[in-house]
Each structure stands twice: as C-alpha cells, then as structure tokens.
Amino acid sequence: MTGAGPDRADFPQMANAIRALAMDAVEKAKSGHPGMPMGMADVATTLFAEHLKFDAGNPDWPDRDRFVLSAGHGSMLLYSLAYLLGYEGMTLEEIKNFRQLGSKTAGHPEYGHAPAVETTTGPLGQGLANAVGMALAEAHLNARFGDDVVDHRTYAIAGDGCLMEGISQEAIALAGHLKLRKLTVLWDDNNISIDGPISLSDSTDQLARFAASGWATTRVDGHDPAAISAAIEKAKASERPTLIACRTTIGYGAPTKAGTAGVHGAPLGEGEIEGARQALDWPYAPFEIPEELLAKWRAAGARGAETRAAWEARVAKDAHCEAFKTAMAGDYAGALNKAIAKYNASLVETPQKLATRKASELVLDVVNEVVVDTVGGSADLTGSNNTKTKNIDVLSAENYAGRYVYYGIREHGMAAAMNGMALHGGVVPYGGTFLVFTDYCRPAIRLSALMGVRVVYVMTHDSIGLGEDGPTHQPVEHLAALRAIPNLNVYRPCDGVETAECWEMALKTIATPSVVALTRQGLEQARLKPSDENLSAKGAYVIAGKDANDVTLIASGSEVSLALKAREALAKDGIKARVVSAPCFELFSMQPESYQKEILGKAPRIGIEAAIRQGWDVFLRRKDGFVGMTGFGASAPINDLYEHFGITPAAVAAKAKRLIS
C-alpha cells in the first residue's frame, strides 16, 4: 500500500497501547476478556500497521481488506484498534463505556453497532466460517469485474476455541477445496482455554489438520513483529489459503496471570494491572494514550487513503463500474416486480400441480436471469433442493465466476459462509438443505437475523409429507423453532404462485434473512385468479370464501389445499368456511390490526399445519382449534401418514363442526 505508516520500531509500544486500553476497559466494566487482546496485540499491530488494506476515514470502501475477529470475546482488541486508528464514532468515551447499555463497545463485536466490525462474533467458529464466505465473495467478484475493481484479502484472528468447534472443519475444508488463496487465518496459539491448558481437552496437530485440508501453514513467534510480517508476506504469495500459528502468551505483560486461564475472562485487578504497567514500561494513567503514540496509530489508519482514492478514480472509468455499483447496492425491487408478475401471470393462465421445491426451481430460473448477483448452492442435496438452475455455472477453484457452490455435507459451514458473503456485499447468497437440518444451521441462521443480512435459506422436504424417510427427516418442531427467531421471515408457500411471491419478498427484504420451506410432494395450484399485487407480502390473506363467516380455516404450505377441500366438504352441510393462506407469520404480524381483523374475522378459527401448534398464537385464540402434529412422524407413504396423524379434510371439517355447534 502507498502512504507512510509507522516504523516497525514503534510496534512494541503501539501494541502496548492496545494492551493498556483492553485491561483498563475490562477493569472499569468489572467484566470482559483481557487475555486475548493482550496476547494478540503484536499480531494485530503488525497486520494493521503494515499489511491490511483499509482507510479508517472511509470504512465502507468496497475494496478494503476484511478483518474478522472470530475469537469475539477478545472484542477489546477490535475496539482498541478502531479508536487508535481513528475510525469515526469510536471515541475514548466509548472505550470507557465497554459493556455498558447503549455503548458501541458491546461485550462481543456486533455488526452495525461499531466501526471496523465486519461481522458479529462471539459464538466460536462463526467468524472463521464468515471469513471463508467473504473470501469466496471476493474471488467471485474478482472473476466478474477484474483486478482493477476487486482485489483484496480476508484476514481472521481465531483462537483455540474456534478451531475446536465443529464448524471450523467444515469451513477450512471448503476453503481448502476452493483454494481461496486470499484468505489468511492468524491463530492465537496460546494453549489456554477457560478450563485451563488445551491439553485437558485436545491434542490435535492443527497445522497438520489445515494442511490436510489444502492450506499452507506456518508457525511464528506471535510477539515478534518481523516474523509475523514475513509470514503474512508469504501468505500473500501463496496459491492456497494460509494458517499462521502465532505462538502467544495470553495476558502478555500481566506479572502473575499471564499464560494462565485466570486472565482469559475476568478483570486483572488493580494490583495485577499496576504490575503489567511496570512490566510493559507503560507509565500512563488508565485510558491515557500519549499524543505521539496516538499520532503513529492515526498515521497507520490513514495510510490507505491514497490507495482508496486511486481505486475510486480507476473504477469510475472502468467498463464494469455500473454493474459493480448495482451489485454492491443490492436493490433489485424494480426488476423483480416486473419479472415475478409476468411469471405468475403465466402460472395462472396454465395452472400446474407441482411440489413447491420444483416451483422454487422454476422461479429461480427467472430470478437468476434478472438478478445476476445471486450465488446459489446446496449442502449435497442439489437434486433434492432444486437450487441449481439451467442458466448458472458451477463456482469452483477453476471458475470463480460461476454462481453455484457445491458446499458438500456442511450445512453449518454453508450457512455461516453465506453470512460472510452477504456481509461482504456484491452477492446475494442462497443455499439449500432439508428443513429438518436447520438444526445443523441454526446458530448461523440466528446470526443472520441478529445482524440483519439478506441470506435465503432454501429448506425443502418441509413436513411428514416427505414420507418414507421417516421421523429423522420429518420436521415437526422446526417451523416453530425458526419462527421463534426475531427478524427472520419464514415462508411456507402453498403453490407455484405463492412460491414466486415469497422469493420476491425474500430478495427484496435487504435487512432480514429468509427461510423458504418447500414440499417434496406435488400440490394442486391454489391460486387460479390473476392479481396485481403480491398477496404473500402481507403474510396472510383470504384465498377462498371471503364473505364466509361460520368458521375460518387458516393453513400454510401443503395444508392450504387440505383446507380448501375441507371448505368444500363443509359447504355440503351448509357451513360457510373462509380459508386463509398464511405463507409468512412474521409479515402478517407486522400488518395493521385492522387488516388482521379483516382477514381473520370473528368466527371460530382452526389452524392447519403438518407441524406442532407452538407459534400459532398469532392467528389462534385459546378457544380455537388446531389440526397438526403432536409428536414425531413415522416412516410410511405420504397418504398413509396424513391419515394416520389425522391431518385430513375430514378431520378439519369434524373439528369445525364441533367448534360452531
């Protein structure tokens, strides 16, 4: 990078500034994790002062290097860096308010709350997998737009805990397979976990593990800036992702607690801090950073400004400029509205009986043509999820320009990598597996929702309707569990028209992830009349019997057709039933109370879903009925299962008669 940075001779004291801020902030808060920031201060100083491409004055520069603190408990490392480097909004007052209500300096880094935070971390291993997704997005965009527009690296600091979490193996295996050469992981190899020495619980040769997954590996003294810098330079020249094992002392400088578990997650105490100040030759008051030293850090923060300005001038003249801007903006509402409306008009004109997973594939043919920034994939279930469309190529180590990733049987790693892709920007990730395996994805799905990033989870085989594979593969509690996550839209469309509408909403909703739950079994098309609006956008609507007032049948997905048949059966007995299709509970909950009352009416209500009742209180009152599951499924043909568990038109009609009698 151009631009003058500090001299390497200044690095030890620059690193001590990080250590001092970390131990002072944790002490003032009376909680936190001083050990990792103190141990990795030399590594972070070397990375940010000599290697990382960034501009603290323009933190959203698209071609910046990404830095992920996977070991998020060491958040004071990141906050200290943000203050010292001069990121706007990270003041000394924010540092002093570490872990306090309303501060930017939360206990773990939170995306969108503080500058320099590229992703929310804390659940160990998530950041490492996010970094894989960021590197994957960079490789794809570089292949599309060229080096002049996209050419940056991704760095992650990971701890022993990150590497012990199972997601780490999924992430590193994927990165090695895809040869993501611009990814570098700096491992805080301090040999300490909360319980004590790592030897209590693990004896893995991590370098051998990474090497076996296709990574380049090296080991350095994590307190030697020259060795650290040389290892990073070597990583830049590698054709593979790189692990740098940085042997460090946790709590470096603390006179009695350094190198022990006691410094991991608790304040050092006044006496220990005084001893650390003496050991580190840091004769300053709490939170005091000498002006001369702060100036050196600010110079490091500004050294990328010239490079950024040159990039902006270059991109403005580049042939890919407008396409790149569109990709980074990620707003496709106008194009989607027209394309989905035209597609749904064709469905109404020629109704089809389809499994909604097939309907999803058909609408993706349209979506992937209109939104050229989508990158799809599946966790080894491509033919079952129907996520690969005819107009996209495979993304591989030989073709990063492709738009379809074979993630392998790595559901958790796939979900977390998609978070990283969405956070990076320029791509819209979607990926599939079976709905029952959201159990394997849930920590990453939760973080998608917490961060407010657009990721689309395509979850097929959504009920006992998958049949013979049996209860291990039949989700019964999963819809409820997913609906319990704040800021997550769970869509369960009933036919091809609703599937297209749900996809439109998932792609237009930029700050909320989506789960699209889809059937294996074929469903009759329920929407047979043209509509000028996206009816699924309100979460629920009357699909039949708008003026009926004897009973209201509310269903989602495959059970909408069942509700429509129950309506016909009730009509024969003179009972007028209204049928409400409810593809998205979350969107319905956001509608005005007047709309909700209009749709639901005052009559007795019955909820119908091949899943448990939990979560249905958005529609049902205590006195209302429910037809669904109360336990696990079974292995049998689909029709036998619905009959066995009493999820039939006859059962719905019988319950309706009891309710209104």
Side-chain angles (χ1 to χ4, degrees):
M1 287 181 66
T2 56
D7 190 273
R8 194 178 289 169
D10 298 318
F11 286 10
Q13 278 296 83
M14 291 173 68
N16 286 340
I18 295 174
R19 294 183 175 106
L21 288 174
M23 62 186 184
D24 290 343
V26 171
E27 187 67 22
K28 186 174 185 297
K30 301 303 179 187
S31 73
H33 301 77
M36 194 281 272
M38 296 175 74
M40 284 296 280
D42 295 305
V43 173
T45 300
T46 303
L47 175 65
F48 276 81
E50 283 194 343
H51 296 279
L52 200 74
K53 185 173 77 167
F54 74 109
D55 178 7
N58 194 323
D60 296 326
W61 171 24
D63 202 38
R64 70 190 180 279
D65 286 348
R66 272 40 173 200
F67 172 72
V68 174
L69 185 67
S70 187
H73 56 273
S75 58
M76 269 309 305
L77 176 73
L78 191 49
Y79 302 147
S80 298
L81 285 165
Y83 166 67
L84 294 167
L85 290 162
Y87 281 84
E88 184 178 357
M90 185 53 71
T91 64
L92 199 57
E93 282 305 306
E94 290 289 352
I95 299 292
K96 291 178 180 178
N97 286 326
F98 178 55
R99 288 185 162 227
Q100 304 309 300
L101 184 64
S103 74
K104 295 180 180 179
T105 47
H108 293 83
E110 295 184 27
Y111 174 72
H113 285 235
V117 176
E118 298 280 8
T119 180
T120 296
T121 55
L124 295 177
Q126 291 290 330
L128 176 59
N130 293 167
V132 172
M134 291 176 185
L136 179 56
E138 191 280 339
H140 174 71
L141 293 172
N142 173 264
R144 281 187 64 190
F145 299 120
D147 289 347
D148 282 349
V149 180
V150 180
D151 186 13
H152 55 266
R153 305 186 64 83
T154 302
Y155 295 90
I157 284 181
D160 291 297
C162 293
L163 302 192
M164 281 193 274
E165 288 284 2
I167 190 175
S168 72
Q169 183 58 38
E170 296 185 24
I172 69 172
L174 179 63
H177 174 70
L178 292 175
K179 299 179 182 178
L180 299 176
R181 63 182 181 83
K182 294 182 184 177
L183 173 63
T184 300
V185 172
L186 301 153
W187 169 30
D188 181 16
D189 182 17
N190 61 33
N191 202 36
I192 292 292
S193 67
I194 293 176
D195 282 349
I198 295 298
S199 59
L200 290 173
S201 58
D202 193 58
S203 55
T204 302
D205 183 338
Q206 295 291 357
L207 269 68
R209 179 166 79 105
F210 275 74
S213 295
W215 289 55
T217 63
T218 189
R219 186 183 295 279
V220 299
D221 178 349
H223 302 298
D224 181 348
I228 298 164
S229 188
I232 294 173
E233 284 292 349
K234 185 178 179 182
K236 291 178 183 178
S238 176
E239 292 300 313
R240 297 181 287 167
T242 298
L243 171 72
I244 303 175
C246 305
R247 179 54 59 85
T248 62
T249 299
I250 189 172
Y252 183 91
T256 66
K257 295 183 178 180
T260 72
V263 77
H264 168 82
L268 297 181
E270 291 183 9
E272 190 77 5
I273 287 178
E274 183 59 33
R277 292 188 191 283
Q278 294 178 16
L280 297 171
D281 189 22
W282 189 262
Y284 308 107
F287 301 105
E288 179 185 350
I289 307 296
E291 286 297 325
E292 182 181 352
L293 195 60
L294 185 59
K296 296 182 188 300
W297 268 113
R298 296 294 161 86
R303 68 187 176 84
E306 186 178 336
T307 301
R308 175 192 51 78
W311 175 86
E312 289 176 344
R314 186 170 66 247
V315 171
K317 300 176 183 178
D318 194 279
H320 297 296
C321 180
E322 291 307 314
F324 178 72
K325 286 182 179 179
T326 298
M328 295 306 295
D331 183 359
Y332 313 103
L336 281 168
N337 287 346
K338 294 178 182 178
I340 297 300
K342 182 179 178 181
Y343 174 73
N344 273 349
S346 71
L347 289 182
V348 171
E349 188 175 321
T350 311
Q352 300 180 59
K353 180 179 180 179
L354 293 171
T356 51
R357 61 169 176 161
K358 181 61 179 178
S360 174
E361 178 186 9
L362 294 176
V363 74
L364 272 173
D365 277 333
V366 176
V367 165
N368 285 336
E369 194 71 39
V370 173
V371 183
V372 296
D373 304 320
T374 52
V375 175
S378 170
D380 200 51
L381 288 168
T382 296
S384 294
N385 300 146
N386 296 84
T387 39
K388 187 178 186 304
T389 58
K390 58 179 179 289
N391 53 353
I392 58 174
D393 295 327
V394 175
L395 191 160
S396 66
E398 295 72 37
N399 180 29
Y400 292 127
R403 295 169 56 194
Y404 192 82
V405 182
Y406 287 113
Y407 285 102
I409 307 169
R410 303 184 181 102
E411 296 92 347
H412 197 180
M414 174 184 72
M418 289 196 296
N419 281 348
M421 294 162 72
L423 289 161
H424 179 280
V427 298
V428 181
Y430 69 87
T433 184
F434 290 172
L435 182 62
V436 76
F437 298 135
T438 53
D439 285 342
Y440 287 174
C441 306
R442 186 179 173 84
I445 295 175
R446 182 176 187 270
L447 286 174
S448 300
L450 178 61
M451 291 187 284
V453 294
R454 177 176 50 192
V455 177
V456 184
Y457 300 95
V458 184
M459 300 298 174
T460 69
H461 297 59
D462 70 346
S463 72
I464 60 170
L466 71 90
E468 291 85 348
D469 277 347
T472 59
H473 285 53
Q474 293 168 2
V476 292
E477 78 277 25
H478 297 72
L479 289 169
L482 291 165
R483 288 167 179 157
I485 299 175
N487 193 42
L488 175 69
N489 288 340
V490 180
Y491 296 96
R492 192 166 183 249
C494 73
D495 65 1
V497 176
E498 276 196 1
T499 301
E501 290 181 338
C502 291
W503 263 108
E504 181 183 358
M505 292 303 300
L507 293 170
K508 287 168 61 176
T509 310
I510 294 177
T512 301
S514 301
V515 171
V516 185
L518 304 165
T519 67
R520 175 181 182 267
Q521 72 271 29
L523 303 176
E524 295 289 348
Q525 187 166 312
R527 290 274 293 279
L528 301 174
K529 296 180 181 179
S531 174
D532 293 331
E533 64 175 315
N534 183 327
L535 298 179
S536 299
K538 292 185 177 180
Y541 62 94
V542 177
I543 196 169
K546 184 176 182 180
D547 297 325
N549 55 15
D550 290 336
V551 66
T552 299
L553 309 179
I554 310 161
S556 80
S558 48
E559 284 67 65
V560 170
S561 60
L562 186 153
L564 291 170
K565 291 177 182 177
R567 175 177 177 268
E568 293 174 2
L570 288 167
K572 294 176 181 179
D573 292 326
I575 299 172
K576 298 177 181 179
R578 173 184 301 189
V579 177
V580 173
S581 178
C584 184
F585 289 21
E586 296 76 24
L587 292 181
F588 184 72
S589 298
M590 296 177 190
Q591 302 309 310
E593 185 178 355
S594 58
Y595 177 80
Q596 295 183 20
K597 288 182 176 179
E598 176 190 344
I599 296 303
L600 297 177
K602 297 180 179 180
R605 304 169 192 168
I606 299 175
I608 312 161
E609 190 170 65
I612 62 173
R613 177 170 175 157
Q614 187 171 344
W616 269 83
D617 56 344
V618 68
F619 292 105
L620 303 180
R621 300 156 299 193
R622 191 170 184 177
K623 62 183 179 181
D624 293 324
F626 181 76
V627 173
M629 298 294 292
T630 57
F632 294 114
S635 176
I638 175 176
N639 292 336
D640 293 348
L641 288 171
Y642 272 82
E643 187 70 36
H644 175 74
F645 290 108
I647 308 175
T648 63
V652 173
K655 187 173 285 288
K657 291 174 183 177
R658 288 196 297 272
L659 277 178
I660 63 178
S661 62

